[in-house]
Amino acid sequence: ETGVTQSPTHLIKTRGQQVTLRCSSQSGHNTVSWYQQALGQGPQFIFQYYREEENGRGNFPPRFSGLQFPNYSSELNVNALELDDSALYLCASSFKTGGRVDTQYFGPGTRLTVL
Amino acid sequence: KQEVTQIPAALSVPEGENLVLNCSFTDSAIYNLQWFRQDPGKGLTSLLLIQSSQREQTSGRLNASLDKSSGRSTLYIAASQPGDSATYLCAVEEGAQKLVFGQGTRLTINP
């Protein structure tokens, strides 16, 4: 059983650019959630994807968007990067059935720095 | 809006001591509460998950309790070791959609 993996590990971008972060779910999982963790803070929920559709969203602007693919891997896209987007981006995969989501397993994260 | 608070923000204790980390939440309508460990610059490792109908969970030297009515949870670590040094996060699940996290307690165990 493979765990949750994320790529890249680190990324440096400049203001106004666009970035794509990737996440491979744990085998057998059908749900992916993305979180943003600023330095010294707890993670904040961005959105969740279930069966390739967005299934809940936190308080993040539309320039944060995502995709989930048939193999349940996922992408997080951020357009028009701002300095405050600098953070550790975590994805978590889980198995959802009957409206309930089981324990979420987190990846190691992608550290994004916006200059 | 659910808010999760963890006290203290940082804690430093000598090796071997028993310690308690605290977590409080404002809305008792939760599905479960989870404690995570995070090493510097790394992802999260789930330690214990307490369903809303449960009062406590134990794993090895860790014991977590949940009092939904008062909006509180504690994580008890027995016989602390230097390898326990990390940031500990608690999170409540409001629904099948999201976890709401506290800011964490940064724990240092001194040899």
Side-chain angles (χ1 to χ4, degrees), chain B residues 21-79:
Chain B
L21 307 182
N22 296 292
C23 172
S24 62
F25 47 96
T26 55
D27 187 343
S28 62
I30 63 171
Y31 279 90
N32 59 55
L33 183 143
Q34 203 163 356
W35 283 92
F36 292 89
R37 169 187 172 134
Q38 185 174 34
D39 292 291
K42 305 293 186 183
L44 308 182
T45 300
S46 179
L47 298 173
L48 290 164
L49 184 150
I50 311 175
Q51 302 287 355
S52 61
S53 58
Q54 297 175 321
R55 297 283 293 184
E56 66 177 335
Q57 281 286 337
T58 298
S59 176
R61 296 182 291 109
L62 305 180
N63 175 275
S65 68
L66 173 63
D67 184 342
K68 251 183 50 169
S69 60
S70 68
R72 295 174 190 268
S73 175
T74 61
L75 178 66
Y76 175 83
I77 302 177

